[in-house]
Structure formats: C-alpha cells, structure tokens
C-alpha cells in the first residue's frame, strides 16, 4: 500500500497529511523547514515504507523543500496549484483555504491523478536556471533605469531623448546642458547617476550573456542559431524544459508552454482563443522569437503573412506562428546529443579566481557544466501547418 504525503509548503513551515490508496487519513502534522523540523517530518514519513511525497508548487514556493527531499532519496511529485484548488472547491467545507485543508487537497489530487510529473533535482540545470533568472532581472532593471532616465531628461531637455537610448548617448546629451537653478542642477546630477547605473547594468548584462552563451555551447545546443533565440532564451529553454521526453508529443509540449490555442467553438461557429495557461517564461521566449522574426524577412515572417492572407487577424496569425515555433523547439529532441562534460571543479575555480580579482560582474559562484543538451532544427525546417 502506497502512502501519499500531501504537503502545503511555506517558507518556514510545511503542513502534511498522509493518506492511503483509499483516501483514508493516516496522519497529519505541521513542521518547520529548518533542520530540526525537516528531520522530524522525515522521521514521521519514514514510518511508511512505500511512500511518495506530493508537493504543491515545486517550481515555486515548494521548490526548496522538494529539492531537499529528492536529494535525500525521496520520491516527489509536483501537484499544480490549480489542480489542488479544484479538489478544494468541490470538497466539503465551502472551499475554505487553510494549511491542513490545502495539504488534504494536494494529497487527494495526487491520488486521483496518476500522470503527475515526478521532480528531479538536477543541480546543474538548477544553476543554469538561476543564471537565466538573473539575466531576466538585469533586463528588467535596465528597463526601469532607462524609464527613469527618460523622465528626467524630458524635464532637462526640450523634447527629451530618443526612445532607444544608450548610456553613451545619454552622457553626450547631458554634457550639453548646464542648468543654473538649484532644481536643474539636482536633476542633472541624478541623470549622471542614472547613466552610471545604466553602464553598470550593461556590463553585467554583457557578462551574463557571455557566460550563458558558453554554457549553452558546451552542451552542443544550437538553440542560439535559431532566429530570435539569444543566450538567455536558450538557457531558459534548457533549464525549464529539462527532459523533453516527458511530453508525449509536440501537442503536449505546446499545451505545457501555453502556445496551443483553446477550442472556443459553439454551434456553427468554429474558433479558438488564446491560452493564458502554461509556462509563461517559455511562452515569453517563444513570443520574443516570433517578434524578432516578424521584424525582418524570415520564414516566420512569410508564414505570418500567409496566415493573414488566409483571413486570419494579426493576433490569430501571431498565435499560429508561436505554435509553429513551439513545434520547431520540440523537434530538437530528435537530434539531441550528449557531449563530454567539462570539469565542474575547474570551472568553479576559474569563477572564484575572477571574483578574487575584484570583478563584481560574475553572476554566480561558479559556472557549472550542464548535463541537458538540446539541439534544434533550423527555422527553415518549418513546414506549413494548418
């Protein structure tokens, strides 16, 4: 008899409920996530020899404890929050949301859903994911800094600056302005400070892109060769997708990344609507890929124009293009290869040497070699799909 341990995780606590294959509650408890609480929780679970942990949000708030359990040899499955919410709504108690109720809903969802994803904590893929997250944060920080810079330049210069502004261009602009009033002097000083911040962020972005490009190339992946995929996008695909074989076919992959449209037909009207579900980070990578291809002559641009000529709207044509690009990324697995792994210790030592020299642009404590490799076909391999 397999015991299912449903868990509602938080930062400093975890509430569990253990049920058997018939749904009977065997035990409950609330434990801390520090070493003492974790050991106590693990000891309570080890009374059941055949067991599996069901944790809500293993890619979110539950990731820290899910990875600890996997590291200790425990079997862990990921229960989507929407699935456990559906169980909670249809249970007795008027859909009340408490930690014990959430743990019970997670356990029942795992019991009734045998095809849930098992969690595999690959430390090297986790490292790549962290670097991709850091690159996204730098991008957002740059956008915020440029927006603040534009606001001050508009008050400092008649008409402000052009839309796409680099730090060097901003520095040349501010050099032409010599305000005499106190407000103008402070405004100019703040602009100079923001330009300095922008230059620092640009250096960090350049270093992050270089590191990600090297890590992706080490695994033999040609994702970057695709029109519209940069180092950050390629790293995101490798880290978040992981083992592509867990998807039965390209349609399941498209459903997972949110590019598969939802059927919204009614009566004689046949139509599909946008899906807002799925992995939004991967969806963003595919959206960026589509935008880049639309800006220049490409196979993607030709496909988009053909769909519009067939009577589709611009948004419908864009969704069709993203769905096609999802197929291109999925096709990569047919030519996936494993290259010799670089020495992990050597790469960590190299990164530590850079830090010792006082360079603050290194975005991680080390540069691990990555086990997952994903080689995709060229964009020209896209074939018409209706």
């Amino acid at each position: 008899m397999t015991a299912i341990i449903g868990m509602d995780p938080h930062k400093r606590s975890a509430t569990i409920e253990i049920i058997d294959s018939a749904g009977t509650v065997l035990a409950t408890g609330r434990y801390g996530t520090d070493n003492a609480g974790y050991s106590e929780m693990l000891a309570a679970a080890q009374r059941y020899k055949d067991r599996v942990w069901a944790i809500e949000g293993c890619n979110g708030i539950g990731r820290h404890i899910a990875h600890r359990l996997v590291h200790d040899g425990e079997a862990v499955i990921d229960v989507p929050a929407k699935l456990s919410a559906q169980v909670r709504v249809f249970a007795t108690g008027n859909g009340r949301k408490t930690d014990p109720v959430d743990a019970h809903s997670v356990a029942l969802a795992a019991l009734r859903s045998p095809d849930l994803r098992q969690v595999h904590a690959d430390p090297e893929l986790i490292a790549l994911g962290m670097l991709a997250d850091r690159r996204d944060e730098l991008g957002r920080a740059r956008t915020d800094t440029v927006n603040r810079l534009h606001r001050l330049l508009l008050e400092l210069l008649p008409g402000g600056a052009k839309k796409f502004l680099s730090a060097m261009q901003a520095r040349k602009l501010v050099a032409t302005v010599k305000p005499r009033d106190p407000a103008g002097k402070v405004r100019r000083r703040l602009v100079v400070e923001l330009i300095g911040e922008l230059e620092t962020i640009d250096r960090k972005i350049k270093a992050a892109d270089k590191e990600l490009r090297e890590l992706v190339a080490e695994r033999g992946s040609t994702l970057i060769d695709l029109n519209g995929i940069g180092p950050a996008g390629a790293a995101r695909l490798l880290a978040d997708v992981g083992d592509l074989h867990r998807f039965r076919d390209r349609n399941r992959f498209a459903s997972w990344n949110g590019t598969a449209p939802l059927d919204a037909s009614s009566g004689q009207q046949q139509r599909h609507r946008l899906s807002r579900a799925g992995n939004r980070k991967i969806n963003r990578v595919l959206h960026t890929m589509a935008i880049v291809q639309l800006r220049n002559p490409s196979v993607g641009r030709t496909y988009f124009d053909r769909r519009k000529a067939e009577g589709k709207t611009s948004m419908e044509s864009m969704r069709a293009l993203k769905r096609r690009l999802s197929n291109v990324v999925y096709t990569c697995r047919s030519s996936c290869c494993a290259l010799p792994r670089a020495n992990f210790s050597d790469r960590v030592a190299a990164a530590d040497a850079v830090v010792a020299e006082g360079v603050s642009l290194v975005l991680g404590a080390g540069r691990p070699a990555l086990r997952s490799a994903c080689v995709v076909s060229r964009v020209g391999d896209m074939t018409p799909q209706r």
Side-chain angles (χ1 to χ4, degrees):
M1 180 184 66
T2 301
I4 298 179
I5 308 171
M7 178 189 297
D8 179 42
H10 294 278
K11 291 181 180 179
R12 295 177 177 82
S13 68
T15 302
I16 67 171
E17 178 176 288
I18 306 175
I19 64 174
D20 58 19
S21 57
T24 304
V25 178
L26 303 177
T28 61
R30 179 183 177 90
Y31 304 92
T33 55
D34 55 3
N35 289 334
Y38 176 79
S39 299
E40 185 180 356
M41 179 179 65
L42 200 58
Q46 287 174 346
R47 293 199 293 265
Y48 306 92
K49 184 176 181 181
D50 190 9
R51 62 185 179 274
V52 60
W53 296 78
I55 302 179
E56 183 182 61
C58 289
N59 285 328
I61 190 63
R63 179 166 55 184
H64 68 104
I65 197 164
H67 287 177
R68 290 173 70 183
L69 289 169
V70 172
H71 182 267
D72 290 336
E74 298 290 320
V76 180
I77 58 176
D78 181 18
V79 178
K82 289 186 178 180
L83 183 60
S84 60
Q86 291 176 356
V87 175
R88 183 173 62 250
V89 168
F90 290 105
T92 58
N94 298 321
R96 293 189 183 94
K97 192 177 187 310
T98 63
D99 290 348
V101 170
D102 286 347
H104 179 69
S105 301
V106 171
L108 289 180
L111 177 63
R112 306 304 180 192
S113 305
D115 296 329
L116 294 176
R117 180 179 69 90
Q118 185 172 353
V119 178
H120 299 282
D122 187 333
E124 297 169 1
L125 284 183
I126 293 172
L128 181 61
M130 289 192 297
L131 290 175
D133 289 338
R134 173 59 173 161
R135 175 60 178 83
D136 291 342
E137 292 170 358
L138 288 172
R140 290 191 293 270
R142 189 185 193 283
T143 300
D144 180 64
T145 302
V146 171
N147 288 341
R148 288 185 289 150
L149 191 58
H150 272 295
R151 177 176 59 82
L152 290 174
L153 287 175
L154 183 61
E155 299 172 355
L156 195 62
L157 298 168
K162 66 176 187 177
K163 182 177 181 180
F164 299 103
L165 186 67
S166 68
M168 182 179 297
Q169 292 167 341
R171 195 171 290 280
K172 290 180 179 179
L173 281 177
V174 76
T176 63
V177 182
K178 302 293 183 180
R180 298 180 179 277
D181 60 299
K185 292 180 179 179
V186 171
R187 190 175 292 115
R188 186 181 186 280
R189 177 170 59 83
L190 293 178
V191 167
V192 172
E193 291 178 2
L194 285 176
I195 293 173
E197 293 177 13
L198 184 60
E199 290 173 338
T200 300
I201 293 174
D202 285 342
R203 289 194 298 269
K204 290 182 178 181
I205 288 177
K206 184 177 180 180
D209 286 343
K210 180 181 178 181
E211 182 174 23
L212 290 173
R213 189 182 298 275
E214 291 174 353
L215 293 175
V216 172
E218 281 180 2
R219 305 314 306 164
S221 173
T222 58
L223 276 170
I224 298 180
D225 294 339
L226 285 174
N227 185 11
I229 295 290
R236 175 63 62 197
L237 285 167
L238 290 174
D240 282 26
V241 174
D243 182 13
L244 202 69
H245 293 297
R246 62 191 176 99
F247 301 105
R248 184 180 304 172
D249 52 33
R250 64 184 187 179
N251 298 323
R252 292 295 183 92
F253 177 66
S255 178
W256 174 77
N257 62 44
T259 57
L262 301 178
D263 190 0
S265 303
S266 178
Q268 299 299 320
Q269 184 182 25
Q270 302 296 318
R271 61 179 294 269
H272 293 79
R273 66 175 179 85
L274 174 69
S275 172
R276 300 189 182 278
N279 187 310
R280 306 316 297 174
K281 292 181 179 180
I282 298 298
N283 190 282
R284 179 174 176 267
V285 171
L286 296 173
H287 183 81
T288 302
M289 186 180 182
I291 292 296
V292 171
Q293 292 199 16
L294 291 181
R295 289 177 177 173
N296 305 286
S298 64
V299 177
R301 181 77 222 190
T302 302
Y303 177 80
F304 178 86
D305 292 340
R306 182 168 64 83
R307 299 296 281 185
K308 288 198 68 176
E310 294 173 353
K312 300 292 185 182
T313 65
S314 296
M315 292 301 296
E316 289 173 337
S317 300
M318 170 62 82
R319 290 199 289 268
L321 176 58
K322 288 173 63 176
R323 176 68 174 85
R324 178 54 51 82
L325 295 176
S326 173
N327 292 346
V328 172
V329 173
Y330 180 83
T331 306
C332 75
R333 219 47 187 173
S334 61
S335 55
C336 184
C337 62
L339 296 181
R341 298 170 56 135
N343 188 288
F344 184 86
S345 300
D346 290 346
R347 291 191 58 81
V348 173
D352 289 342
V354 174
V355 175
E357 293 175 1
V359 180
S360 62
L361 303 182
V362 177
L363 302 181
R367 298 182 176 185
L370 305 175
R371 179 159 46 195
S372 177
C374 188
V375 182
V376 303
S377 56
R378 292 187 294 271
V379 180
D381 294 336
M382 293 195 304
T383 56
Q385 174 184 344
R386 298 184 181 275

